[in-house]
Amino acid sequence: MEKQLTHFDEKGNTRMVNVGGKDETLRIAIARGHISARPETLRLIAEQGMKKGDVLEVARLAGIMAAKRTGELIPLCHPLALTSIRVELAISDDMPQVEIEAEVQTVGRTGVEMEALTAVSVAALTVYDMCKAVDREMVIGEVRLIQKTGGKSGTFTRDTKDTVSGADT
């Protein structure tokens, strides 16, 4: 069975998907990404030596705020009443990077994948913003959905080993 794009009607016009007939279920999504930086930059982050403040805590808060506003940022996303948002940032022991993970939950008629991906993306952008004065070569990378549960389509789990944050999926 060929999957169809849901944000277009039969005439090809953009639309917001009607989720009114769907059942409300617990929806959970986990996304991960990272921002690579020079070792000196990571040391400053770890020692809270950036002039703008505690980089990881500000980025965590930015990620939480972004998840809550995803419906305003992505044109065809439904605004959702989120029940839980967790954003974690950690300096990698293995790579010169900050690893980022977001988990978002709701009880509703549509999933929270975009909210989790937005949280990771904005957290990474915040790290960049707070550190750009000392390292303009930082690179945001590998923002991806790791898992989603709930809804008619069921569970999705990325089928490759994912070692960001040391966890296998």
Side-chain angles (χ1 to χ4, degrees):
M1 179 171 145
E2 187 177 316
K3 293 189 178 204
Q4 300 292 317
L5 295 176
T6 58
H7 288 87
F8 298 98
D9 66 17
E10 60 281 346
K11 295 179 183 175
N13 298 316
T14 307
R15 67 175 178 158
M16 188 171 194
V17 176
N18 182 353
V19 297
K22 291 183 169 184
D23 291 332
E24 287 194 349
T25 62
L26 174 63
R27 316 275 186 143
I28 302 171
I30 299 171
R32 292 187 186 139
H34 69 262
I35 180 165
S36 301
R38 295 192 318 240
E40 308 83 56
T41 305
L42 297 173
R43 182 183 52 75
L44 284 169
I45 292 170
E47 295 172 357
Q48 296 187 19
M50 292 292 178
K51 290 184 179 182
K52 290 186 176 184
D54 185 337
V55 173
L56 300 182
E57 281 306 308
V58 173
R60 179 189 328 276
L61 183 57
I64 291 168
M65 292 173 65
K68 292 167 49 174
R69 302 197 69 173
T70 300
E72 297 172 36
L73 298 170
I74 310 293
L76 300 176
C77 273
H78 292 82
L80 300 176
L82 303 178
T83 57
S84 175
I85 305 168
R86 176 185 56 81
V87 178
E88 294 181 7
L89 295 97
I91 297 172
S92 172
D93 293 331
D94 301 326
M95 302 290 289
Q97 64 190 22
V98 175
E99 298 171 340
I100 306 164
E101 180 175 286
E103 178 181 301
V104 180
Q105 297 185 24
T106 193
V107 175
R109 293 182 167 95
T110 189
V112 288
E113 297 96 312
M114 295 308 300
E115 287 74 9
L117 290 162
T118 299
V120 169
S121 299
V122 171
L125 288 166
T126 301
V127 171
Y128 190 97
D129 179 55
M130 293 187 72
C131 300
K132 69 182 182 261
V134 298
D135 186 356
R136 292 196 187 270
E137 294 181 1
M138 293 175 287
V139 176
I140 295 169
E142 295 187 17
V143 176
R144 68 237 183 252
L145 180 66
I146 299 301
Q147 185 175 49
K148 79 92 177 165
T149 61
K152 184 176 156 185
S153 65
T155 298
F156 162 83
T157 301
R158 185 167 291 282
D159 61 3
T160 58
K161 187 173 183 176
D162 190 303
T163 57
V164 174
S165 303
D168 292 341
T169 56

